[in-house]
Amino acid sequence: MAPKSKSSVAPARPGYEFFGPPGAFGISFGLPLLVYAFTFACNDISGCPAPSLLSPRTLSLDKLKAEVGWPADGIRGLASWEATAAVLAYYLVNLALYRLLPAIETEGTVLASGGRLKYRFNTLYSNTVTLAALAAGTISQGADFPVWTFIDEHYVQILTANIGISYAISTFVYVRSFSVAAGNKDKRELAAGGRTGNLLYDWFIGRELNPRVTIPLIGEVDIKEWCELRPGMMGWIILNCAWCARQYRNFGHVTDSIVGITVVQALYTVDSWWNEAAILTTMDITTDGFGMMLAFGDLVWVPFVYSMQTRYLSVHPQSLGPLGSAAMLSLVGLGFYIFRSANSQKNAFRTDANDAAVAHLEYIETKTGSKLLTTGWWGVARHINYLGDWIQSWPYSLPTGLAGYQILAAGAGGPGAYVLGDGREVVAGGAKGWGMLFTYFYIVYFGVLLVHRERRDDEKCHRKYGADWDEYKKVVRWRIIPGIY
C-alpha cells in the first residue's frame, strides 16, 4: 500500500506541461478561435471550404464574410440572450436529473490525504431520460422538432455560450481553490501540476484536484466528474441528431453514413455512461486538476469538434452501401473490443486482483505497493486501450470520403448535384478533397492527443515508481501500437 501523506496538498510538483504559460495561453484562447474557424469555413452557405479560401488571389474580407455567414451585426452577433438562456436551461436540466434520479454511491481512489471522495453515479439514467424526451419530440414533429431547428438556426450562438461557460467555470474553480487548506475536513486537495504560482498556467491546468460545489436544491456536485460525462458528451449526441434532422430537411431522407456515424458515436458515449465508475481510475480524475483545459475540452471541444463529420454530411450526403457500412462497423467493433476489454481488465484488476477473471495475470509489484500488469492486454502495450480508442476514430471520418463541396445557385450544379430544400445545388467541384481538413481533423488530433497523454502518463509513473517503472518498461516495451510505437 502506498504511504499516505498527512497533507491535503499533493507532495510532488512537476514542471510545466504544454510548453508552460505560452502554451496555456495559446490553447485557452487559440482553440476557441479554431472552433469558430471550423464553424465558418465549412458552412451551408457557400461550401466546405468557403470558395474564397481556395482562391487567395480573389480573397477579400467582405466577400469572405458573405460566404461564411458572418453575423450582420458583427462580433455581437456571435452571442444571443436566447441561445445563452437555452444552454443554461440545458445545464440546469442536467443538474436536476443528477439530483432527482436514482444513483449509485461509489468511493473514489485514495487521495494524497488518505481519504476517499464519494461519487454519485446516474449519468446513464439522466441522459436516457433526456434522449427519450428528444425521441418523443422527434416522433411527434419529425425533423422540424423545435430543438433541432433551434440548434441549426443558433449554432454559433450556442457555441459561444458554451465557450463562455467553460471560461466562467475555470475562473470560479481557480479563485475558489485558494480556500483549500491543509487538513480540511472536506477532503479538498490541490493538484500536483497546478501549483506553479503562474496565474495563467494554473488557471489553465487546474489548481484544485476535485473541486466540488453545493448548489441549492441540487446538493453537492463534483464539478470535474459531472462535466466529464454529462453536458458535453450528451451534447455530442444531440448535435449529431440535429445534423441528421437537417439532412432530412434538406433532402427528404437520411443516408447510411450520417446514421452510422451518429449511432457508433452514441454507442461510444453510452458505453462511458454504462461504465461510469471506470472514470475514477483515469488520469483526468486521479491526477489532473480541473481548469480551462478540461472545462473547454468537456463542454466545447468534444461536442462541437467531434460532430463535424455529421454536420458536413447534413449538407453533402454520402452513401456507403452494404459493403461500406459493414467495413465501417467492423472497424468500430475491433476498436471498441480492444478499448473496452483492456479498460475492463484493468478496472477489474484494480478493484479485486483475486477475481477469477484476472487472477491469472502476472504483474510487477513496485516499492509503493502498486501492481503493474505484464500479461493480458496490458502486457501487449502500456496503453493498448489507446490503440482501440484511435481505431474507433477512423470510421467517424472515412464515411465523408474525399470531402469538400461547393454550394451553387439553382440549376448551376449540373447532373448529379444534390438539391437543397431551397433549390440551391451542392457539388464537389474544386473543393473536392479540401473538406478533409475538417472531416479528418479528428483522426489526426486524436492520435496526437493519445500520444501526448501516454507521454504525460509515462512521466507521472516514472516519478511515482522510479526504478520499478524502468524495469516494467523492459518487460512491456511498446507504448501504444505493438511493434511500431
Side-chain angles (χ1 to χ4, degrees):
M1 189 76 173
K4 299 176 182 178
S5 168
K6 297 298 183 182
S7 169
S8 68
V9 177
R13 183 166 64 181
Y16 286 133
E17 297 182 85
F18 301 97
F19 303 104
F25 178 86
I27 294 172
S28 299
F29 302 101
L31 287 189
L33 295 179
L34 181 62
V35 181
Y36 279 123
F38 285 151
T39 299
F40 285 111
C42 184
N43 60 74
D44 62 344
I45 297 171
S46 62
C48 180
S52 290
L53 296 176
L54 299 177
S55 304
R57 292 181 181 180
T58 65
L59 180 63
S60 69
L61 185 57
D62 289 339
K63 184 178 181 181
L64 184 62
K65 284 182 176 180
E67 289 180 350
V68 303
W70 185 255
D73 50 353
I75 292 179
R76 287 183 301 177
L78 298 178
S80 73
W81 291 111
E82 186 180 12
T84 301
V87 172
L88 290 174
Y90 166 68
Y91 279 67
L92 183 60
V93 168
N94 268 276
L95 286 168
L97 293 175
Y98 166 77
R99 175 49 52 191
L100 295 174
L101 295 178
I104 298 173
E105 297 280 346
T106 305
E107 287 191 333
T109 58
V110 179
L111 301 169
S113 58
R116 292 176 183 261
L117 291 170
K118 289 186 177 179
Y119 291 83
R120 179 181 173 83
F121 289 152
N122 66 359
T123 300
L124 181 64
Y125 299 148
S126 59
N127 286 345
T128 298
V129 168
T130 302
L131 287 173
L134 294 172
T138 304
I139 292 171
S140 173
Q141 302 183 48
D144 293 317
F145 180 44
V147 171
W148 309 139
T149 56
F150 184 88
I151 290 173
D152 193 2
E153 295 166 1
H154 299 83
Y155 179 71
V156 173
Q157 292 77 25
I158 292 171
L159 167 61
T160 300
N162 280 278
I163 292 174
I165 290 171
S166 69
Y167 280 129
I169 292 179
S170 304
T171 303
F172 171 76
V173 296
Y174 174 78
V175 172
R176 191 170 178 270
S177 70
F178 288 94
S179 64
V180 175
N184 70 81
K185 297 180 180 179
D186 296 327
K187 301 184 179 70
R188 296 177 64 194
E189 295 186 357
L190 297 182
R195 299 178 291 115
T196 67
N198 182 281
L199 186 154
L200 173 63
Y201 181 82
D202 292 347
W203 171 78
F204 161 75
I205 206 73
R207 282 192 91 242
E208 189 168 352
L209 183 63
N210 297 109
R212 295 184 166 207
V213 64
T214 300
I215 303 174
L217 302 179
I218 301 296
E220 186 179 64
V221 178
D222 186 286
I223 298 176
K224 180 163 64 171
E225 197 278 333
W226 188 82
C227 286
E228 282 271 312
L229 293 178
R230 290 174 183 268
M233 295 287 275
M234 183 71 236
W236 184 9
I237 295 179
I238 291 175
L239 287 176
N240 280 341
C241 291
W243 303 138
C244 286
R246 180 163 80 172
Q247 188 185 79
Y248 188 88
R249 291 195 302 274
N250 280 335
F251 306 106
H253 67 276
V254 290
T255 57
D256 51 8
S257 58
I258 196 170
V259 172
I261 293 174
T262 299
V263 169
V264 297
Q265 290 185 345
L267 290 175
Y268 178 86
T269 56
V270 170
D271 174 71
S272 70
W273 304 337
W274 181 271
N275 296 282
E276 188 172 8
I279 195 176
L280 298 180
T281 59
T282 64
M283 184 188 299
D284 286 357
I285 299 297
T286 63
T287 304
D288 292 337
F290 186 77
M292 178 59 183
M293 179 181 73
L294 287 180
F296 178 81
D298 293 339
L299 307 180
V300 180
W301 193 258
V302 167
F304 292 92
V305 173
Y306 290 14
S307 61
M308 277 199 299
Q309 295 88 355
T310 53
R311 183 168 176 261
Y312 170 89
L313 290 169
S314 71
V315 180
H316 191 224
Q318 300 291 316
S319 180
L320 296 174
L323 290 179
S325 297
M328 294 302 102
L329 289 175
S330 297
L331 203 54
V332 167
L334 173 63
F336 180 78
Y337 172 71
I338 295 173
F339 172 78
R340 178 47 56 205
S341 297
N343 280 342
S344 296
Q345 187 178 80
K346 178 181 68 174
N347 194 53
F349 185 80
R350 286 182 173 180
T351 303
D352 181 8
N354 295 317
D355 188 300
V358 293
H360 65 285
L361 297 177
E362 297 177 8
Y363 57 86
I364 292 175
E365 185 162 2
T366 68
K367 295 180 181 64
T368 66
S370 297
K371 297 175 181 178
L372 305 176
L373 288 170
T374 57
T375 59
W377 280 112
W378 301 92
V380 178
R382 300 198 290 273
H383 277 291
I384 190 66
N385 57 327
Y386 288 0
L387 175 60
D389 219 1
W390 192 56
I391 290 174
Q392 288 182 86
S393 72
W394 283 84
Y396 298 172
S397 300
L398 288 173
T400 65
L402 292 175
Y405 60 79
Q406 294 176 317
I407 300 179
L408 308 177
Y418 297 102
V419 181
L420 295 170
D422 58 8
R424 292 179 302 155
E425 299 186 2
V426 182
V427 298
K432 187 174 183 179
W434 289 102
M436 294 173 70
L437 294 172
F438 306 97
T439 63
Y440 285 76
F441 173 81
Y442 178 78
I443 294 176
V444 177
Y445 152 76
F446 199 47
V448 172
L449 172 70
L450 293 175
V451 169
H452 180 261
R453 286 179 65 90
E454 183 277 324
R455 294 279 176 163
R456 292 181 67 211
D457 188 64
D458 184 74
E459 292 179 7
K460 182 199 76 171
C461 291
H462 190 271
R463 290 193 303 267
K464 182 176 181 179
Y465 303 123
D468 289 329
W469 185 249
D470 293 329
E471 187 64 28
Y472 166 72
K473 291 198 292 185
K474 292 178 182 178
V475 179
V476 184
R477 296 174 51 207
W478 304 108
R479 295 173 181 265
I480 298 175
I481 306 176
I484 299 177
Y485 174 76

